Amino acid sequence: MPSTNAVDLAAHPLTAWRGPLGLPDFAHIGDGDFSAVFDAALKAHEAEIDAISSNKATPSIENTLAALELGGEALDHVSSIFWCRAGAYTNETIQALERDISPKMSRHFSAISMNEKLFARIDDLYQRRESLNLDPETLRVLEKTWKGFVRSGAKLDADGKTRLAKINEELSSLGTTFGQNVLADERDWALFLDEADLAGLPDFVKSSMAEAAEMRGRKGRYAVTLSRSIYEPFTTFSERRDLREIAYRAFTMRGQNGGASDNTSVVRDMLKLRAEKAKLLGYASFAALKLDDTMAKTPKAVHALLDPVWERALEKAAADQKELERLAAEAGSNEKFAAWDWRFYQEKLRAEKFAFDEAELKPYLQLDRVIDACFDVATRLFGITFEEKKGIAAWHPDARVFAIKNADGSERGLFLADYFARPSKRSGAWMSALKSGYKLGHGSKPVIYNIMNFAKPPAGEPALLSVDEAKTLFHEFGHALHGMLTDVTWPSVSGTSVSRDFVELPSQLYEHWLTVPAVLEKHALHVKTGKPMPKALLDKMLATRTFGAGFATVEFTASALMDMAYHARPDAPEEPLRFEAETLSTLHMPDTIAMRHRTPHFGHVFAGEGYSAGYYSYMWSEVLDADAFAAFEETGDPFNPALAERLRKNIYAAGGSKDPEELYTAFRGKMPSPAAMMVKRGLV
């Protein structure tokens, strides 16, 4: 491996992006390149920070705040490629690098946030902010930067700073370990079946399982994996109760199987360190620290949303379970109704109530047509268009590249998408950016990507999605639009750089357009006949939108309440998994429903800080998204041009340039109550 001194950051393909369309030249990037380039980029950024902090001139927006925002470009470039690879296409080399780089990055950014001379310059600007005649966005960036330094320990004494830096470094390493352990359990477990074991499974599930088995070297067999795109339909349709139980237990025990990939001690150590960090910074709990910069502000406000929803969800789930137990008894089952029975009998109940089998929808939800629907809605709402660019190398052959254009034909940026599950990709779905869009300095056009985990079909066959998967695609594309449409000056408030409980609004709101009849009529075409979804089937699908609300709301809200239970206390539980069981017992959690994310694999909360003390934010944003789409429904036009323009300007384009309440009120005229969300979920 070349030495750090040998790396030319101005020419290396990891930092100087000279591939097609201004992308990194992925074809010339090797796993062995990252370490030396990271070291060189960290050193270069340290020199930039030193130049800013040592500047003898009076602090100004240009020589301090703007210099800080625009610094570290080489580090941004190599980081964005590396973390994309670590999530979407990893291997042992990348994972070893991740374990090495995570603490290095933590040390680097701790040193910046605790740099006394740098903070003195930021503090000088902050104290003079009223006399600097700043525009609102610049003032907000200055205030957020100052608060960020303080929340990162800038005002601690020397011992406090040293301890906080050590805590952050340990948390970074533990978060990496947590994520890698979950990936190992998901990668290493598969249940291989034969044709005789497939009773009840529709062809699309069999096809996905056959492909998954072949990917694992078992051609001719069928594999149940722990990817949701296989696990959920298998447990929904399989008539083999014994196999459903095996799959359920494996899925819910990810990260808790003993041995090297067990996350029990990782969670314990993370919770202790987070509690210590909060205390060091003067907060009553880690939740108080994390919520300080959100719309909710306090754990009490979070509970004011979650607790009433929880009570309604428990009532709904209990009523639904009686119906499911009836169906099980009628089918001749003498077994006690269990968690691995819920999806199976819920699908039977759907068929009974609505004469509707969700498998009927699959042929109408081809992946490529759902992608087209995403693009079409964006064009109708916001005027942007998408053109696929074939033959351009990205991080994996499955990743696709699209050029984005404004209504006037000018270039807006790039969108990359990687849709299929594979053992080298962590589970779930997410959006991120190789580059953010902003106007400061020379400016930057956004390069945004989506990652999914849909089951890959055999060669030559189209990928078919479930309704939930199609919603996931729309959801992540909503996040992508937040990054693509950004129209701000400062990088730190670009795109999705908003409070955690506001960031899900653009994504969850976008899901609503999937089920707009005009969208389905145009894009939900049968895979074989090309005919649109029959109105009768469409009506059934729309009628079932709130079906299963009890189950869905209990599994989500249990995870959100558990997250708050861990983080709203001033200390940390000695045995987190015992605390999980005790908390769920206190909440009267049904033993027939599992949390959507149990503690040992709750990546949102423990694979980094991401949604720690913040998983509630999906529901907080859901209050906003239900109200926001109601605005379109009130006009009778889901593509109302005047409303779409207000939506673009105040939500999708504004990033974090203003307070989220101010942005939402500018769009809607008022803040919402949870009522519309409760109705949307079918809990009222």
Side-chain angles (χ1 to χ4, degrees):
M1 186 174 289
S3 70
T4 299
N5 295 333
V7 175
D8 181 358
L9 294 176
H12 199 283
L14 276 169
T15 48
W17 293 2
R18 293 173 186 154
L21 306 177
L23 284 169
D25 188 355
F26 284 100
H28 291 92
I29 292 172
D31 293 351
D33 294 339
F34 284 104
S35 186
V37 175
F38 259 112
D39 286 344
L42 285 164
K43 197 170 181 181
H45 194 210
E46 283 170 15
E48 289 173 323
I49 295 298
D50 187 56
I52 298 167
S53 57
S54 302
N55 193 336
K56 301 298 184 192
T58 302
S60 69
I61 294 298
E62 289 72 26
N63 69 21
T64 302
L65 191 65
L68 182 62
E69 291 253 334
L70 293 172
E73 183 179 69
L75 185 58
D76 287 344
H77 281 190
V78 64
S79 296
S80 66
I81 298 171
F82 180 77
W83 297 116
C84 175
R85 279 289 314 274
Y89 190 33
T90 194
N91 54 39
E92 288 184 7
T93 301
I94 295 293
Q95 290 190 323
L97 282 167
E98 198 179 358
R99 293 190 291 272
D100 178 55
I101 288 165
S102 292
K104 271 187 189 175
M105 293 284 278
S106 177
R107 284 195 296 272
H108 175 74
F109 285 105
S110 285
I112 292 172
S113 62
M114 297 177 196
N115 182 319
E116 291 181 12
K117 291 195 293 182
L118 179 60
F119 179 63
R121 295 182 69 82
I122 295 292
D123 190 47
D124 178 273
L125 289 170
Y126 180 75
Q127 301 305 333
R128 293 188 288 121
R129 64 193 183 282
E130 300 299 340
S131 64
L132 295 175
N133 297 317
L134 303 178
D135 64 85
E137 184 184 327
T138 302
L139 176 61
R140 182 167 170 81
V141 169
L142 175 58
E143 290 175 342
K144 285 175 71 71
T145 302
W146 183 86
K147 286 176 185 175
F149 270 80
V150 173
R151 284 159 50 84
S152 298
K155 289 191 167 186
L156 294 176
D157 61 21
D159 288 346
K161 285 178 178 175
T162 300
R163 180 58 189 150
L164 183 59
K166 183 64 177 170
I167 289 171
N168 287 337
E169 185 179 332
E170 289 181 33
L171 282 170
S172 180
S173 292
L174 288 166
T176 295
T177 300
F178 183 97
Q180 291 189 356
N181 286 347
V182 177
L183 179 63
D185 278 6
E186 291 173 345
R187 179 195 63 218
D188 297 342
W189 190 91
L191 177 62
F192 293 100
L193 305 177
D194 296 310
E195 189 76 41
D197 304 316
L198 308 183
L201 297 182
D203 287 344
F204 75 85
V205 183
K206 295 180 188 176
S207 175
S208 298
M209 289 169 59
E211 181 69 14
E214 186 171 347
M215 206 181 284
R216 288 161 176 75
R218 301 285 191 94
K219 188 172 183 179
R221 300 199 75 196
Y222 300 85
V224 182
T225 70
L226 301 183
S227 165
R228 281 190 189 273
S229 61
I230 288 180
Y231 165 77
E232 288 189 355
F234 178 80
T235 52
T236 298
F237 294 109
S238 174
E239 292 176 7
R240 287 283 301 276
R241 188 173 191 267
D242 57 330
L243 300 180
R244 296 201 308 269
E245 180 180 359
I246 291 169
Y248 169 85
R249 293 192 183 281
F251 192 78
T252 54
M253 291 297 288
R254 289 169 295 153
Q256 195 190 344
N257 290 303
S261 66
D262 193 282
N263 274 328
T264 306
S265 63
V266 178
V267 170
R268 182 196 65 217
D269 294 348
M270 290 186 84
L271 290 172
K272 284 184 177 177
L273 289 166
R274 285 173 175 174
E276 185 185 351
K277 177 177 178 174
K279 189 175 181 181
L280 195 57
L281 290 168
Y283 289 88
S285 66
F286 185 74
L289 167 63
K290 283 296 294 285
L291 293 170
D292 188 38
D293 191 32
T294 64
M295 295 180 79
K297 300 288 189 287
T298 65
K300 185 178 178 182
V302 172
H303 277 286
L305 169 67
L306 295 179
D307 292 350
V309 172
W310 179 248
E311 293 306 319
R312 290 284 182 94
L314 285 180
E315 291 170 11
K316 186 80 173 68
D320 289 348
Q321 183 170 325
K322 286 179 182 175
E323 287 278 80
L324 303 184
E325 288 172 339
R326 172 184 62 80
L327 284 178
E330 288 173 2
S333 173
N334 297 316
E335 306 282 351
K336 182 177 182 292
F337 189 83
W340 46 91
D341 295 319
W342 195 293
R343 290 182 190 278
F344 180 75
Y345 285 107
Q346 184 166 267
E347 190 58 28
K348 302 286 187 196
L349 184 61
R350 187 202 309 266
E352 178 184 275
K353 281 194 167 186
F354 301 97
F356 171 62
D357 177 349
E358 188 152 353
E360 289 180 72
L361 292 172
K362 275 267 188 174
Y364 293 95
L365 295 173
Q366 298 172 64
L367 171 60
D368 281 346
R369 292 199 181 278
V370 178
I371 295 168
D372 288 344
C374 272
F375 292 167
D376 186 27
V377 170
T379 302
R380 293 183 68 177
L381 287 172
F382 307 122
I384 57 173
T385 55
F386 300 81
E387 181 188 351
E388 185 162 10
K389 300 292 185 180
K390 302 273 193 182
I392 295 176
W395 55 85
H396 185 274
D398 282 348
R400 298 162 66 175
V401 179
F402 301 86
I404 316 162
K405 291 194 174 175
N406 294 309
D408 63 5
S410 58
E411 292 181 11
R412 172 119 219 123
L414 297 172
F415 172 60
L416 288 78
D418 182 353
Y419 292 111
F420 297 121
R422 50 181 172 266
S424 61
K425 184 191 280 190
R426 72 174 167 87
S427 61
W430 64 96
M431 164 270 179
S432 193
L434 292 178
K435 261 190 191 178
S436 297
Y438 54 84
K439 298 172 193 166
L440 192 68
H442 297 298
S444 170
K445 291 187 187 302
V447 180
I448 308 297
Y449 64 87
N450 275 171
I451 307 288
M452 308 286 163
N453 268 285
F454 303 141
K456 191 170 187 177
E461 290 187 22
L464 302 177
L465 306 183
S466 68
V467 173
D468 281 348
E469 287 172 330
K471 281 183 180 174
T472 297
L473 196 149
F474 263 71
H475 177 100
E476 297 305 334
F477 192 73
H479 280 310
L481 284 170
H482 203 183
M484 293 172 204
L485 291 169
T486 192
D487 187 20
V488 299
T489 298
W490 292 85
S492 63
V493 292
S494 170
T496 56
S497 299
V498 299
S499 67
R500 183 63 69 186
D501 48 15
F502 190 65
V503 78
E504 295 299 333
L505 169 59
S507 53
Q508 292 178 184
L509 174 57
Y510 206 69
E511 291 179 37
H512 289 265
W513 276 277
L514 170 64
T515 50
V516 167
V519 174
L520 288 169
E521 286 161 13
K522 181 176 178 182
H523 297 285
L525 307 180
H526 195 278
V527 63
K528 290 181 178 171
T529 67
K531 291 181 178 178
M533 186 183 293
K535 186 171 186 310
L537 184 57
L538 172 58
D539 289 344
K540 285 180 189 177
M541 187 191 83
L542 296 176
T544 64
R545 275 188 292 191
T546 61
F547 178 76
F551 174 85
T553 308
V554 165
E555 67 164 9
F556 167 82
T557 312
S559 294
L561 288 167
M562 196 67 238
D563 174 31
M564 291 309 297
Y566 279 131
H567 294 111
R569 51 186 284 168
D571 57 359
E574 281 297 324
E575 297 180 58
L577 297 182
R578 175 184 285 184
F579 181 70
E580 177 191 78
E582 290 170 351
T583 302
L584 294 177
S585 175
T586 302
L587 288 169
H588 306 294
M589 176 77 174
D591 63 4
T592 51
I593 302 178
M595 296 164 66
R596 185 158 183 84
H597 306 284
R598 282 198 59 239
T599 299
H601 52 258
F602 202 168
H604 286 78
V605 169
F606 294 110
E609 296 234 324
Y611 283 81
S612 54
Y615 194 66
Y616 78 92
S617 60
Y618 287 95
M619 188 167 283
W620 190 278
S621 292
E622 193 177 343
V623 172
L624 301 175
D625 84 64
D627 179 68
F629 193 70
F632 283 90
E633 291 179 317
E634 286 161 14
T635 71
D637 179 4
F639 298 99
N640 181 282
L643 207 51
E645 175 53 24
R646 288 218 307 272
L647 181 65
R648 184 201 64 77
K649 180 182 176 184
N650 296 298
I651 306 297
Y652 285 93
S657 61
K658 293 180 182 175
D659 179 82
E661 286 197 19
E662 184 183 342
L663 291 172
Y664 190 81
T665 304
F667 161 66
R668 187 65 162 114
K670 59 179 173 57
M671 288 299 290
S673 78
M677 179 273 290
M678 297 276 247
V679 170
K680 174 195 162 192
R681 277 190 171 253
L683 297 176
V684 180

